[in-house]
Amino acid sequence: GWLIPIGVFFVISFPPLFGHEIVAILCGLVWGLGPGFAIVAAGTFLGELGNFYAFKYCCAARGQKPEKTQLRYTCLARVVRDGGFKVALIARLSAIPGHCASPCYCFIPE
């Protein structure tokens, strides 16, 4: 039973899909606070990890193209490159949806 919402979280972690909050509320209602939180945390972590690696290895050329043509994307990539982990953490905890910010992080060279 609990693998289904983890799979749903994994799938909706890829942009432009949405509904993370609705599934999280349903997990809390069905499984309660402790197990529901664990399910939401595991699904979110696995989904963002899959999102990161999918963009890093499958969409690298497509993701670097907007950086050369769109000023906003160029600025965000530059700020994350210069600020490092601290800026990435602040962006992740901000109002920017995680599935929109994660692709930006994977195009930053190591």
Side-chain angles (χ1 to χ4, degrees):
W2 53 270
L3 288 175
I4 294 171
I6 289 178
V8 170
F9 277 119
F10 185 84
V11 170
I12 63 176
S13 291
F14 292 88
L17 301 176
F18 59 92
H20 188 270
E21 296 81 11
I22 296 168
V23 178
I25 290 171
L26 289 174
C27 285
L29 289 173
V30 172
W31 282 281
L33 181 62
F37 179 78
I39 291 168
V40 171
T44 302
F45 178 74
L46 293 174
E48 292 298 326
L49 194 66
N51 191 9
F52 177 82
Y53 282 112
F55 274 92
K56 184 167 183 83
Y57 294 113
C58 299
C59 306
R62 186 176 180 185
Q64 291 169 350
K65 185 178 172 184
E67 188 177 346
K68 296 176 183 172
T69 59
Q70 295 178 8
L71 183 62
R72 274 194 236 161
Y73 193 80
T74 304
C75 292
L76 179 60
R78 175 72 188 260
V79 166
V80 174
R81 272 192 202 107
D82 293 346
F85 178 74
K86 184 178 177 180
V87 171
L89 179 65
I90 291 170
R92 183 66 179 111
L93 297 176
S94 71
I96 302 170
H99 65 273
C100 294
S102 292
C104 181
Y105 307 143
C106 64
F107 300 127
I108 297 168
E110 293 144 12

